[in-house]
Amino acid sequence: ALLDSAPRPLTGAQVLVTAGPTREALDPVRFIGNRSSGKMGYALAQALTELGAQVILVSGPTALPAPSVAHLIEVESAAEMHAAVMARIADCAIFVAAAAVADYRPKQQAPHKLKKHPDTINLQLVPNPDILAEVAARTPAPFTLGFAAETEALETNARAKLERKGLDMIAANLVGGEQGGFDRDDNALLILWRDGQRELPLMSKQLAAREIACILTERYGASA
Ligand code: CTP
Ligand code: CA
């Protein structure tokens, strides 16, 4: 009964969420990846669904069970994630970029398994499209929430990212230390927007996602 009467302020809103890592193939059996588990993105997709949103989740490879969202689209590479997002973003009011998208991909993808040689090899990498920046630069643009994983100067780096990409909101966390983040069940976050911020202490990603979804709903409402 409690659940039935819970307010669903995002009813009718289509929300696109990216989550998880990407895999950038070197050859048919090898890739460059990262330590993202997808937990934060999946928790956010869940929290936004609970607030009434129609969530499209575009996910890189994770070990997580499929969450109960309106649509789940599974991708591998940044290029596939980019294409999946661009094909659906026009109908979305909100874009949440929780994926850890690889900044680069191998310049060449070998058609056959690379053979080993005794000498050093050099890997050439080319930049991937910045999905979030491209979505934020659209006209009209959806309300955008980005993430920033930093190893230092959290607030400065995150605010710079917010401004540079023209985002409405950014959730920043320190990674590679004791503060949570990648490959963990908990996370401490700093949420920033143009004229405000809120600190979320170390808590489960489930709870953090609900807090973020709450702040997002408020900021989204204020932006309309
Ligand atoms: N992002 C994206 N597409 C990319 C790279 C990043 O959509 N090709 C999104 C991420 O999902 C995240 C935000 O941009 O929401 C910030 O990612 P991050 O790696 O912290 O920032 P970058 O802009 O890539 O800068 P850097 O890695 O140099 O810190
Ligand atoms: Ca990056």
Side-chain angles (χ1 to χ4, degrees):
L2 242 179
L3 271 179
D4 292 342
S5 60
R8 293 163 74 82
L10 293 180
T11 299
Q14 278 232 42
V15 181
L16 203 154
V17 178
T18 65
T22 65
R23 289 180 177 178
E24 310 301 319
L26 282 159
D27 69 17
V29 296
R30 303 185 180 98
F31 59 83
I32 298 177
N34 63 67
R35 296 187 192 280
S36 168
S37 64
K39 282 173 190 160
M40 195 65 226
Y42 277 50
L44 262 165
Q46 185 78 46
L48 292 162
T49 300
E50 280 162 16
L51 292 178
Q54 279 276 110
V55 173
I56 304 170
L57 177 60
V58 177
S59 176
T62 74
L64 302 172
S68 46
V69 293
H71 301 285
L72 172 65
I73 300 162
E74 293 179 297
V75 298
E76 270 206 24
S77 64
E80 285 169 17
M81 185 172 280
H82 177 261
V85 168
M86 293 312 154
R88 291 162 185 89
I89 196 64
D91 300 326
C92 295
I94 298 170
F95 180 60
V96 176
V101 184
D103 291 329
Y104 299 92
R105 66 178 181 276
K107 187 173 183 186
Q108 270 127 24
Q109 226 188 87
H112 300 290
K113 189 178 169 221
L114 292 165
K115 288 296 180 189
K116 75 175 167 195
H117 297 285
D119 37 298
T120 302
I121 61 166
N122 289 301
L123 202 53
Q124 278 204 308
L125 303 174
V126 295
N128 276 327
D130 189 319
I131 302 169
L132 175 57
E134 195 174 320
V135 167
R138 289 173 59 92
T139 33
F143 183 94
T144 49
L145 164 62
F147 276 77
E150 308 287 348
T151 55
E152 53 167 1
L154 186 64
E155 189 177 337
T156 313
N157 281 336
R159 205 164 270 289
K161 220 164 258 184
L162 177 85
E163 313 247 304
R164 176 159 43 83
K165 300 199 192 196
L167 309 180
D168 294 296
M169 247 176 91
I170 196 159
N173 66 319
L174 278 173
V175 291
E178 294 303 305
Q179 302 84 359
F182 274 34
D183 217 3
R184 290 181 51 145
D185 291 326
D186 53 14
N187 214 357
L189 291 155
L190 181 63
I191 317 296
L192 306 172
W193 55 96
R194 234 33 79 72
D195 49 6
Q197 66 184 66
R198 239 186 83 193
E199 218 172 305
L200 299 183
L202 192 63
M203 64 180 86
S204 76
K205 287 185 175 175
Q206 258 67 37
L207 275 182
R210 285 191 201 141
E211 293 283 347
I212 295 169
C214 237
I215 301 170
L216 182 147
T217 303
E218 211 177 286
R219 302 318 313 159
Y220 172 62
S223 76

